[in-house]
Amino acid sequence: MTVVSETLTDNIAWRSLSETGAQPRLSVLIPTFRDDPSALLKALDERGVEAEVILLDDGGGDAALVERMAKRIETMTLPARLVVLSSNEGRAKGRNRLARHARGGHLLFLDSDMLPDPIGFLARWTALAGDDVAVAFGGFTLDQTPHRPEHDLHRAMALKSDCTSAPERAREPEKHVFTSNLLVRRDVFDTVAFDEGFAGWGWEDVEWAMRVSALYPIVHIDNSATHLGLDTAQALAAKYEQSAANFARVVQGHLEVVRNYPSYRVAKALKPLPLRPLWRPMLKSIALCEAAPTPLRALAMRLYRAALYSDAV
């Protein structure tokens, strides 16, 4: 068993808060793995907000990046801490570790490739924390994401299924929960943490929301952040391939919920079709073909994902 060690960098404001024993209203928790979160940290550094920021380098092994992040943490106005891990723990374990460092009554999980959309983004979350909300998701957009041809497929898919308004998300509150912009009250997270049995990419946040929704209401608001980190078609396909085992874990634990999701229903419809090892790679080839129309590529990628998931239904 590998023992993961931590190296900590705290700024002056963090140490000052520790000396007074005061607790911030909000702890902003940001995991990163070989991504530079400088733009996000700069945008979050709002004066007069009762918040702290905790950044986790999840064993990325990039010494130059760690040095840049440490310098950014040290210059922040808000109390801030950098936690650098000796090796990678993964998405669920990393976020659980972040929560153990937090001192706030509410936790705000943000991905490192996000950028707040509205002015006063953190102040809005802090105000909602003051209202003692149990769980809330603020939504995400692509409003500030640069347009690049290699990201056309991911952009089209995200705009169709992920970039939705609060009323639309509220129809299936547990389905539209992502750790990219998620507020959780401390006692809620102490009761329901992320399942560390998930590995790789995908589904650990939705599965967490399935368990939470049985105990606490999930509120959806419009306090969005832009997702800057769109993937190429090849990278997106690789993530879906990683996520198949996680999807199987969700099916095993939450069949009554997930059976109503389109991803499950399509996977179930594809399962009986013969010669899956032959036509599944064809779907991937169409999705990766940049010469094909984007709507066709998006359809092929969704069917490819469902074909991967069909092994689990």
Side-chain angles (χ1 to χ4, degrees):
M1 180 178 177
T2 302
V3 177
V4 179
S5 62
E6 296 180 338
T7 302
L8 305 180
T9 299
D10 299 335
N11 70 358
I12 292 174
W14 180 282
R15 295 193 293 271
S16 297
L17 195 65
S18 297
E19 290 169 1
T20 65
Q23 290 184 319
R25 181 174 290 181
L26 183 68
S27 295
V28 184
L29 309 181
I30 308 168
T32 187
F33 181 73
R34 298 175 183 169
D35 286 327
D36 189 342
S38 295
L40 173 59
L41 294 175
K42 181 179 179 181
L44 290 174
D45 205 12
E46 301 177 20
R47 294 182 180 275
V49 177
E50 296 179 57
E52 65 181 7
V53 175
I54 307 170
L55 176 66
L56 175 78
D57 179 85
D58 194 6
D62 186 333
L65 177 57
V66 167
E67 183 178 359
R68 291 197 301 275
M69 291 191 294
K71 288 181 178 177
R72 170 61 67 179
I73 288 291
E74 289 168 349
T75 59
M76 290 185 72
T77 302
L78 291 179
R81 161 172 281 184
L82 171 63
V83 182
V84 180
L85 301 187
S86 58
S87 59
N88 180 258
E89 284 194 317
R91 293 162 61 89
K93 285 186 178 181
R95 289 185 173 89
N96 287 344
R97 183 185 288 269
L98 275 166
R100 292 195 292 272
H101 282 272
R103 302 174 294 187
H106 276 74
L107 315 176
L108 176 63
F109 291 94
L110 284 173
D111 285 348
S112 61
D113 57 359
M114 303 298 286
L115 194 62
D117 287 328
I119 296 173
F121 170 84
L122 208 53
R124 284 186 176 89
W125 277 128
T126 306
L128 194 63
D131 292 338
D132 210 30
V133 169
V135 182
F137 181 67
F140 72 84
T141 72
L142 302 180
D143 292 353
Q144 303 176 74
T145 309
H147 283 257
R148 297 193 175 99
E150 64 269 26
H151 297 154
D152 283 351
L153 175 62
H154 194 182
R155 175 179 287 276
M157 295 180 70
L159 287 173
K160 183 176 178 61
S161 60
D162 298 330
C163 300
T164 52
S165 66
E168 187 174 352
R169 285 183 262 122
R171 294 172 193 159
E172 295 178 286
E174 88 293 332
K175 180 182 177 181
H176 297 283
V177 167
F178 308 102
T179 48
S180 54
N181 188 14
L182 175 66
L183 182 77
V184 188
R185 199 172 65 212
R186 159 70 70 177
D187 65 292
V188 175
F189 196 79
D190 288 344
T191 303
V192 186
F194 290 107
D195 180 355
E196 296 185 359
F198 284 89
W201 182 88
W203 288 98
E204 80 284 343
D205 42 13
V206 177
E207 189 277 337
W208 174 86
M210 290 176 182
R211 287 182 285 124
V212 164
S213 64
L215 302 172
Y216 303 96
I218 298 176
V219 174
H220 284 272
I221 68 168
D222 286 317
N223 190 30
S224 64
T226 287
H227 180 210
L228 297 173
L230 292 181
D231 291 310
T232 64
Q234 185 69 56
L236 190 60
K239 283 185 174 181
Y240 289 154
E241 289 158 5
Q242 282 184 33
S243 73
N246 286 349
F247 179 76
R249 188 175 181 88
V250 174
V251 170
Q252 184 178 18
H254 305 277
L255 178 59
E256 291 306 312
V257 178
V258 78
R259 74 192 320 166
N260 297 315
Y261 290 3
S263 53
Y264 180 91
R265 295 200 302 268
V266 177
K268 193 77 172 176
L270 293 178
K271 189 176 182 67
L273 297 183
L275 304 176
R276 198 184 324 160
L278 294 180
W279 54 259
R280 187 160 63 184
M282 294 174 61
L283 290 172
K284 182 178 180 180
S285 296
I286 295 170
L288 298 185
C289 179
E290 295 185 359
T294 299
L296 176 61
R297 296 178 67 199
L299 174 61
M301 185 66 88
R302 291 191 185 93
L303 289 173
Y304 177 61
R305 178 180 58 193
L308 292 167
Y309 290 177
S310 67
D311 293 335
V313 300

